[in-house]
């Protein structure tokens, strides 16, 4: 039983990159699927596939590396809000991640989205993580 599934999701990706793996498998949930789609849309991962099994399903993520230097595309995955200390933000209070080069992923009343999408729709929410 994992108490913080989002932290587990980020840690699995971080560990797979440190070990140099090409593919990482993560137990699925709707929230993790949406975060995976955002990572793909922003160009942090190569591709992904949702697989159904007898339990909750799997997310297979193909990690992205620089072809010349073999460094991962994701430099940092940082969990912001956690079960013991939730972090919420209004659109005016959003922090620029890596001076605008990174992405903050938020859980809002209109779904899981990036900080830029939330600011354009003028909705606040729980800041899940920073990625750059």
């Amino acid at each position: 039983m994992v108490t913080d599934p989002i932290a587990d999701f980020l840690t699995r990706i971080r560990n797979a990159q440190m070990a140099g793996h090409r593919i990482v498998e993560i137990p699925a949930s709707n929230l993790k699927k949406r975060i995976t789609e955002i990572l793909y849309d922003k160009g942090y991962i190569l591709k992904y596939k949702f697989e159904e099994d007898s339990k909750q399903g799997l997310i297979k993520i193909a990690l992205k590396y620089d072809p010349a230097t073999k460094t991962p595309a994701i430099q940092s995955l940082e969990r912001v809000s956690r079960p013991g200390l939730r972090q919420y933000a209004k659109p005016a209070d959003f922090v620029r991640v890596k001076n605008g080069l990174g992405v903050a992923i938020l859980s809002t009343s209109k779904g899981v989205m990036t900080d830029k999408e939330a600011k354009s729709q003028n909705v606040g929410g729980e800041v899940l993580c920073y990625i750059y």
Side-chain angles (χ1 to χ4, degrees):
M1 174 72 192
V2 178
T3 57
D4 189 2
I6 300 165
D8 179 61
F9 173 85
L10 298 174
T11 301
R12 284 176 189 244
I13 292 174
R14 198 179 304 118
N15 289 344
Q17 285 185 336
M18 288 174 62
H21 294 294
R22 293 277 174 217
I23 295 173
V24 61
E25 291 183 356
I26 301 167
S29 73
N30 289 333
L31 181 62
K32 292 181 202 174
K33 286 179 182 178
R34 183 65 188 125
I35 293 172
T36 304
E37 291 168 355
I38 291 172
L39 288 175
Y40 178 74
D41 292 340
K42 296 300 175 187
Y44 288 112
I45 59 175
L46 214 50
K47 54 185 161 181
Y48 63 91
K49 185 163 80 171
F50 302 137
E51 290 187 352
E52 297 300 322
D53 62 0
S54 60
K55 295 178 233 157
Q56 65 190 43
L58 277 177
I59 303 172
K60 286 190 176 183
I61 299 175
L63 299 173
K64 189 176 192 179
Y65 295 93
D66 182 22
T69 61
K70 304 288 187 227
T71 58
I74 301 173
Q75 295 174 3
S76 175
L77 292 163
E78 184 181 331
R79 179 78 160 114
V80 179
S81 183
R82 48 194 175 89
L85 181 62
R86 301 287 185 190
Q87 300 288 331
Y88 297 95
K90 295 181 258 186
D93 300 338
F94 290 160
V95 177
R96 287 176 48 152
V97 181
K98 197 73 168 177
N99 206 16
L101 297 175
V103 170
I105 298 178
L106 289 94
S107 176
T108 68
S109 58
K110 296 185 178 180
V112 178
M113 59 182 73
T114 65
D115 54 343
K116 292 173 182 68
E117 293 169 350
K119 195 164 196 141
S120 69
Q121 294 184 19
N122 198 29
V123 291
E126 182 181 355
V127 183
L128 299 176
C129 59
Y130 295 147
I131 297 167
Y132 57 89

